[in-house]
Amino acid sequence: LPPKSFEVVVSGGTDSDIAETIYNLKPSGIENHGNTTVVIVDSDGNEQGVKFTRPVDKNVFVNVRYTLYAEEDFPSDGETTIAEAVSAYGDSLIVDEDVIAQRMFGTIYDSVSGLESLTIELGFTSGTINETRLEITDTEKAIIDISGVSVSAL
């Protein structure tokens, strides 16, 4: 950021509401910075440009492989339920939150019976799924769409 400036990263809300709030609360004489500019009208009737940043969606692809535990029943929709659990984990992520494969384990085991072990790999493209942790920057938000989740038995 340029010296004597600030940046607000906002997910959700309307552009106009966000711009009004920033304008009303920002420090005097400090420039705001961002990838979105909204023009508002101040109390004197003058137009003011207010900047803030909308996070960039970062698609994440997930490959889950599992083995079965013979003493429990694996449901017929088990693979779909695993994919839904992974997608639900993705929905819980906030801006600037890294995607960590091990944090999905509890959600998956809580959702599906009959599992003995899991292997989870991540990637930003479907062709490079081999990581267990993906770094998300302070202006990005990880998105795990169920269509990007692959589930298979080992």
Side-chain angles (χ1 to χ4, degrees), residues 63-67 74 79 82 115 117-119 149-154:
N63 184 10
V64 179
R65 289 175 294 180
Y66 64 90
T67 60
F74 184 72
E79 290 188 0
I82 290 170
L115 296 173
S117 67
L118 294 170
T119 301
V149 179
S150 171
V151 181
S152 60
L154 281 171

Side-chain angles (χ1 to χ4, degrees), residues 4-148:
K4 297 185 182 181
S5 70
F6 69 95
E7 179 180 27
V8 179
V9 180
V10 183
S11 181
T14 65
D15 287 354
S16 60
D17 286 345
I18 293 164
E20 288 285 341
T21 301
I22 291 171
Y23 184 78
N24 291 330
L25 298 175
K26 75 179 190 76
S28 180
I30 305 294
E31 181 184 351
N32 54 9
H33 181 74
N35 63 14
T36 302
T37 302
V38 176
V39 176
I40 64 160
V41 178
D42 66 17
S43 59
D44 294 328
N46 298 317
E47 291 186 344
Q48 304 289 336
V50 178
K51 297 178 182 179
F52 58 92
T53 296
R54 289 291 193 178
V56 175
D57 289 346
K58 193 80 168 173
N59 289 320
V60 173
F61 294 85
V62 182
N63 184 10
V64 179
R65 289 175 294 180
Y66 64 90
T67 60
L68 297 177
Y69 180 52
E71 294 181 19
E72 294 177 358
D73 291 328
F74 184 72
S76 60
D77 65 345
E79 290 188 0
T80 300
T81 304
I82 290 170
E84 289 169 349
V86 170
S87 182
Y89 164 79
D91 291 344
S92 74
L93 297 172
I94 61 173
V95 174
D96 189 29
E97 186 171 359
D98 292 346
V99 182
I100 302 170
Q102 284 146 327
R103 293 187 178 172
M104 297 180 203
F105 281 72
T107 302
I108 295 170
Y109 280 115
D110 287 345
S111 300
V112 181
S113 63
L115 296 173
E116 182 171 329
S117 67
L118 294 170
T119 301
I120 301 174
E121 296 175 315
L122 312 168
F124 287 125
T125 66
S126 60
T128 60
I129 298 178
N130 60 9
E131 302 295 324
T132 58
R133 178 180 174 275
L134 296 177
E135 189 172 324
I136 304 298
T137 69
D138 59 354
T139 60
E140 296 175 331
K141 182 177 185 314
I143 303 295
I144 303 175
D145 186 83
I146 197 163
S147 65

